[in-house]
Amino acid sequence: AGTSLGDALSDHPKTFQSIYVNMVKAGEEGGILDEVLGRLAVQQEKDAAIKGKIKGAMTYPGVIFTITIIASIFLITTIVPKIGDIISDLSDGKGSLPVYTRALLALSDILLSPAFIVGCAIGIPLFVYGFRKYIKTPKGRMNWHRLLLHLPVVKTLVTKVAVARFARTFSSLMGAGVNIVQAINTTAGAMGNAVIEKELLDSAKAIQGGAQLSKQLEGSKHFPPIVSQMLAVGEETGQSDQILNKVAEFYEEEVDTFVGSLSSILEPMMIVVLGSIVGVIAASVFGPISQISTNIK
């Protein structure tokens, strides 16, 4: 009895993230809990929308890529060896076959070898398990997220999503009355990237020493200049939450546009890759058959 809602939520950290707890506590202290819960609902809805768009855009290319790999392995391990034996019998042996045909037959032998099959059966699960354990460590998570920020297309997507989350989360916390240092620390945990999270946490330490957040983000490698410029205007006018809300809406649209463009580019690329693999296999098989037919005539 007498326990506040914020304290009750903090007892379940696996269900309620720090952003919910801090906003609810601030709402209770300021007597605006209903408004805060409304902000939380919008925050959750926007974040879920971004995740849904990314997953939706990646589904079709992912399916095509999976089908490509499965179809290629099936052709190389079942059809190619049988046709290869026939071609070798009709010709003067594998030595007289074109280089690309011999390479395909060699690949087929490797994929069908017991050592390779056992190695994959043991090695792949061990690698996946080890990798997942590694990226859960602080050092592994930091290195993995740093790598993502160096990949051309992935970097753009990660940055846009992080900026949208920062603007939406930080504006919600500031609007709820959470103090700026606590708001930055809480927002950092919602970034989804350890490198950007560390940058925000370093900014929070500088702000405790009297610095302004806009000045800290001005020299950022990951936050675009428009964020620090808009934030500086908000700090001068006392409307940081409202201005950052506009920034959040802008970058959420940017994410939507980028994901849509990425999806439209990846889909035909996957189809071209699938067609190219099938074409190479067909050329490796039917080229020698055509040559043998010509020699017979």
Side-chain angles (χ1 to χ4, degrees):
T3 303
S4 67
L5 178 59
D7 291 333
L9 295 182
S10 65
D11 292 335
H12 305 278
K14 292 184 178 181
T15 304
F16 299 99
Q17 297 176 1
S18 58
I19 179 176
Y20 304 124
V21 176
N22 290 333
M23 286 184 68
V24 168
K25 285 183 177 180
E28 288 177 320
E29 292 173 3
I32 53 171
L33 183 58
D34 56 339
E35 181 183 335
V36 167
L37 292 176
R39 286 176 176 269
L40 273 173
V42 172
Q43 168 77 21
Q44 187 74 356
E45 184 180 315
K46 295 291 185 181
D47 200 44
I50 290 177
K51 291 179 181 177
K53 287 171 183 175
I54 294 174
K55 287 181 180 179
M58 296 297 105
T59 298
Y60 183 71
V63 170
I64 295 295
F65 178 77
T66 303
I67 292 174
T68 301
I69 297 299
I70 293 174
S72 301
I73 293 175
F74 175 77
L75 289 173
I76 293 173
T77 57
T78 58
I79 307 300
V80 170
K82 295 178 181 178
I83 297 179
D85 292 338
I86 296 172
I87 294 173
S88 299
D89 292 339
L90 293 175
S91 61
D92 297 329
K94 292 185 179 181
S96 63
L97 297 176
V99 175
Y100 51 85
T101 302
R102 279 182 280 154
L104 191 64
L105 291 172
L107 177 60
S108 176
D109 291 337
I110 292 173
L111 293 179
L112 290 171
S113 66
F116 180 82
I117 294 172
V118 172
C120 287
I122 298 175
I124 292 176
L126 283 177
F127 173 80
V128 173
Y129 174 78
F131 177 75
R132 292 181 66 177
K133 291 285 287 185
Y134 176 70
I135 62 175
K136 286 182 179 179
T137 63
K139 182 179 179 181
R141 182 170 177 264
M142 179 66 72
N143 289 335
W144 171 239
H145 287 173
R146 186 179 288 114
L147 174 62
L148 293 178
L149 289 174
H150 283 86
L151 301 177
V153 177
V154 177
K155 175 185 177 180
T156 304
L157 180 60
V158 169
T159 302
K160 288 182 182 294
V161 170
V163 172
R165 281 180 176 173
F166 163 78
R168 177 69 64 185
T169 306
F170 189 68
S171 66
S172 297
L173 290 165
M174 292 297 289
V178 179
N179 73 76
I180 185 168
V181 174
Q182 189 176 9
I184 295 173
N185 288 331
T186 302
T187 302
M191 288 296 93
N193 185 278
V195 178
I196 300 176
E197 178 182 335
K198 184 178 183 302
E199 189 172 45
L200 283 177
L201 293 175
D202 291 341
S203 298
K205 293 178 183 177
I207 289 169
Q208 285 180 316
Q212 286 186 313
L213 180 58
S214 59
K215 291 295 182 182
Q216 293 301 305
L217 296 183
E218 199 173 295
S220 171
K221 296 179 180 179
H222 309 105
F223 287 90
I226 187 175
V227 177
S228 59
Q229 293 165 5
M230 295 292 283
L231 188 56
V233 174
E235 290 170 342
E236 292 176 5
T237 60
Q239 297 179 326
S240 296
D241 58 326
Q242 297 177 27
I243 290 177
L244 283 176
N245 196 47
K246 295 294 182 182
V247 174
E249 292 176 358
F250 172 76
Y251 273 95
E252 283 163 0
E253 291 180 5
E254 283 278 293
V255 171
D256 191 13
T257 303
F258 182 80
V259 169
S261 302
L262 185 62
S263 177
S264 62
I265 293 172
L266 285 176
E267 289 174 11
M269 283 181 62
M270 289 294 100
I271 294 173
V272 169
V273 170
L274 175 59
S276 300
I277 292 174
V278 173
V280 168
I281 294 174
S284 301
V285 171
F286 293 109
I289 292 176
S290 176
Q291 184 178 1
I292 293 171
S293 301
T294 304
N295 293 336
I296 292 174
K297 291 179 181 180

